[in-house]
Amino acid sequence: MSSTQQVHENRVAGGHKAAIHNPNVSEEAKGKLITSTLEHSRQYLEQDAANAEPAPVETGGMVDDSMSGNTIGGYKATLSNPRTSEAAKEKARAILDGEAEPSDYAPGTGDAHTNRVMGGYKATLK
């Protein structure tokens, strides 16, 4: 998808969102917008799922160039935080020990923007 097309779609989505929250727009029009937005969201999710590639994150222990120091620090903090569940601590241990990859637990492709877009579409579907 070209950047111009992406900008256009973002503006259309923003207009729909504004119209849905505008008290001067009729309920009938809001219903049509919501239906249209849901259908577009489903199509985008299906298309994105078909084109998704796994995240290129290989831990192999804590000496991994693809994981930043902040990421590793976050997993270490998870281990020492008393408010963290045991399941989360087990996941963090597995990732730090190289037994698992962060992509095993994270949805999407690992790209923060893509994850936020996908979350927005999923929230729209609820």
Side-chain angles (χ1 to χ4, degrees):
M1 177 182 310
S2 71
S3 63
T4 305
Q5 185 179 7
Q6 182 65 40
V7 168
H8 172 73
E9 287 191 13
N10 288 345
R11 289 186 177 155
V12 169
H16 286 180
K17 184 176 178 182
I20 289 169
H21 291 88
N22 186 339
N24 296 326
V25 175
S26 71
E27 291 301 318
E28 180 182 352
K30 287 180 183 181
K32 289 180 182 179
L33 282 172
I34 290 171
T35 303
S36 167
T37 303
L38 287 174
E39 183 57 34
H40 178 74
S41 296
R42 282 191 189 98
Q43 289 173 357
Y44 181 85
L45 287 171
E46 289 170 1
Q47 175 187 6
D48 196 56
N51 297 332
E53 296 179 14
V57 177
E58 297 179 13
T59 58
M62 292 176 34
V63 189
D64 184 17
D65 295 336
S66 65
M67 284 185 16
S68 71
N70 289 343
T71 304
I72 293 171
Y75 288 122
K76 287 181 179 180
T78 299
L79 295 175
S80 63
N81 186 345
R83 296 182 184 170
T84 304
S85 69
E86 283 303 314
K89 288 181 180 183
E90 289 173 18
K91 290 178 185 179
R93 270 189 215 99
I95 291 170
L96 288 173
D97 292 342
E99 298 169 2
E101 297 181 10
S103 61
D104 294 343
Y105 302 106
T109 62
D111 177 48
H113 174 72
T114 303
N115 286 343
R116 288 185 183 110
V117 170
M118 297 296 287
Y121 283 131
K122 289 177 182 178
T124 301
L125 294 174
K126 288 185 179 179

